[in-house]
Amino acid sequence: MQHDKILIVDFGSQYTQLIARRIRELNIYSEIHPFNKVPSNLDDYKAIILSGSPMSVRSEAAFHIDLNEIRGKKPLLGVCYGAQYLAHFHGGEVGASSTREYGRANLSFIQEDPFLEGIEVGSQVWMSHSDTIKRLPENSVLLASTHDVQNAAYKMEGEMTYAIQFHPEVYHSTDGKKLLENFLINIAHVTADWTPDSFVEETVEKLQNQLGEDRVVLGLSGGVDSSVAAMLLHKAIGKNLYCIFVNNGLLRKNEFTQVLQQYEGMGLNVKGVDASARFMEALAGESDPELKRKAIGRVFIEVFDDEAHEVKDVTWLAQGTIYPDVIESVSATGGPSATIKSHHNVGGLPDFMKLKIVEPLKALFKDEVRRVGKSLGMAAELLGRHPFPGPGLAIRILGDITPEKVSILQEVDAVFINNLKKWDLYDKVWQAGAILLPVNSVGVMGDERTYEKCVALRAVESTDGMTADWVNLPYEFLQATSNEIINKVKGVNRVVYDISSKPPATIEWE
């Protein structure tokens, strides 16, 4: 089945991926391509969206795109930089704003138009720019204003070209999803039929055509991504999928045994490999976060290579890579966004493995993966599991890794996660974990002075991992959990709670 597709042109905005998320919430498939690598054939795309950017259209270094095959020929929406670009290079004027236009604003004027149908004066929008549109481009009509921004939205007469100075993709724009729906469905006449069920059906067919009778090995982690990837592959190729669950010694308490039992109950062909000693040896004395990640990735691949040789005639390695992994590792689809950190399951394999890669989930965000898993009939308990980093507890232990530190953190993490479940808070949190800090602090226990470890608890809410807010857990819960950790976990005498959001912080500390 051929679905209508939306092309998002990425000019490097931190919000570009959120545009894709918002559109997919409408059951419409969207793709992001950098401004300098726009597909030459646009026939497959029903509409085009120009993203925001950290650049100024007035700068000599401004990012440019040839709109000759787009404007007037395809429905076009310019967002922030995109709106300024359309104005600046088509007879309007863009200049530096006299006031900083950042944060919440409210629409104070709305012109009746299908683009703004169902959106009323007072609707909150999110501004994030230092330039402003001082004069609209030629042949355009003003559609909306705020108190500080006169030209907040406009359209070109005689064509389906619209532009907005605010960001509809962020959740602070209360009617942002409705505005995108108006543009895509009511104006561009896009068919909204990209659903989890259709994704499963089409992906299974694609995998069958791609893999044929080939054998595939897959590394299971116990998390949602690799589990859903496994079930998609299992549905496509059955017995030709060989799953390997590696114990790197950095999993949660008792996780290796529990997860193995769960996978076997799902009908998957799974082999458990305890390689914890091998990982610990590779991490000995290493404290740099990136080097720890790379050491874990290297050993992970080595273990896989060893195990893959045990499977006769294997030709593919499957991975549970999802879209945020790709974005954070290689700047948005090759665009101008910054690299944040490396991911152990992104970036290919060394030549010696001689395996091809298959990544059935690499176009999906985390919440989309869960919906696909539900469509596959997977257990809610498994799909509801919090994300857990590939390098495991190694990046939640700041500094070097030792078996003693791992043991301490496993115990702390177990208390925290179990209490979240007891207090009916687990499903209200997107991700939670504990961090072992590289400091000791003075304490008093039993009238004696102690000098022991400090741990930080972290709980965030998010939809896709691209942005996240800390969760306001009840004081009573934090008090009870802190007391239990200090009383039960030998070596810890202080517990703190992390109340930073992403951005500027990341979800993990390393």
Side-chain angles (χ1 to χ4, degrees), residues 75-94:
L76 175 63
L77 173 62
V79 176
C80 198
Y81 180 90
Q84 294 173 359
Y85 192 91
L86 287 168
H88 185 69
F89 293 104
H90 295 89
E93 180 186 354
V94 175

Side-chain angles (χ1 to χ4, degrees), residues 469-488:
D469 287 322
W470 62 278
V471 178
N472 190 4
L473 294 174
Y475 286 133
E476 296 80 6
F477 168 83
L478 292 172
Q479 181 182 42
T481 301
S482 174
N483 286 343
E484 187 173 348
I485 289 170
I486 291 171
N487 286 326
K488 288 187 175 181

Side-chain angles (χ1 to χ4, degrees), residues 350-363:
D351 291 339
F352 69 78
M353 284 200 73
K354 311 292 185 191
L355 294 178
K356 295 178 283 187
I357 299 178
V358 56
E359 298 170 310
L361 305 177
K362 68 178 180 180

Side-chain angles (χ1 to χ4, degrees), residues 223-290:
V224 176
D225 304 334
S226 66
S227 301
V228 174
M231 291 304 290
L232 277 170
L233 286 157
H234 180 68
K235 190 175 178 69
I237 63 172
K239 60 181 176 52
N240 283 337
L241 174 65
Y242 296 80
C243 299
I244 300 167
F245 181 37
V246 177
N247 181 11
N248 58 11
L250 301 160
L251 302 174
R252 287 185 156 126
K253 183 179 179 182
N254 299 328
E255 188 169 33
F256 183 56
T257 302
Q258 292 170 355
V259 171
L260 264 182
Q261 292 172 346
Q262 186 175 35
Y263 281 139
E264 289 167 358
M266 293 163 61
L268 294 174
N269 177 21
V270 185
K271 179 181 180 181
V273 180
D274 188 354
S276 53
R278 198 164 165 178
F279 281 89
M280 286 297 168
E281 183 180 352
L283 288 167
E286 187 56 69
S287 59
D288 180 87
E290 275 296 289

Side-chain angles (χ1 to χ4, degrees), residues 231-420:
M231 291 304 290
L232 277 170
L233 286 157
H234 180 68
K235 190 175 178 69
I237 63 172
K239 60 181 176 52
N240 283 337
L241 174 65
Y242 296 80
C243 299
I244 300 167
F245 181 37
V246 177
N247 181 11
N248 58 11
L250 301 160
L251 302 174
R252 287 185 156 126
K253 183 179 179 182
N254 299 328
E255 188 169 33
F256 183 56
T257 302
Q258 292 170 355
V259 171
L260 264 182
Q261 292 172 346
Q262 186 175 35
Y263 281 139
E264 289 167 358
M266 293 163 61
L268 294 174
N269 177 21
V270 185
K271 179 181 180 181
V273 180
D274 188 354
S276 53
R278 198 164 165 178
F279 281 89
M280 286 297 168
E281 183 180 352
L283 288 167
E286 187 56 69
S287 59
D288 180 87
E290 275 296 289
L291 294 179
K292 285 196 289 188
R293 285 177 178 271
K294 289 176 180 177
I296 291 168
R298 174 178 54 79
V299 176
F300 183 76
I301 288 172
E302 290 173 356
V303 171
F304 248 90
D305 188 49
D306 292 344
E307 295 302 322
H309 279 94
E310 299 295 317
V311 182
K312 186 178 179 182
D313 299 327
V314 66
T315 52
W316 295 86
L317 173 66
Q319 294 183 314
T321 309
I322 63 172
Y323 202 26
D325 295 338
V326 176
I327 293 165
E328 290 193 337
S329 298
V330 294
S331 65
T333 60
S337 304
T339 296
I340 307 299
K341 59 190 176 184
S342 63
H343 284 263
H344 76 286
N345 59 338
V346 177
L349 298 170
D351 291 339
F352 69 78
M353 284 200 73
K354 311 292 185 191
L355 294 178
K356 295 178 283 187
I357 299 178
V358 56
E359 298 170 310
L361 305 177
K362 68 178 180 180
L364 300 184
F365 290 96
K366 177 70 75 173
D367 58 315
E368 294 173 323
V369 174
R370 288 193 169 106
R371 288 201 292 271
V372 166
K374 183 178 180 181
S375 179
L376 285 165
M378 296 173 64
E381 181 184 359
L382 176 57
L383 296 176
R385 288 193 69 186
H386 290 176
F388 190 66
L393 299 180
I395 58 169
R396 293 182 178 176
I397 298 172
L398 306 194
D400 67 324
I401 311 297
T402 66
E404 180 189 14
K405 290 179 181 179
V406 173
S407 178
I408 289 174
L409 190 55
Q410 284 177 330
E411 295 296 332
V412 171
D413 177 84
V415 171
F416 186 29
I417 298 301
N418 288 339
N419 278 358
L420 285 172

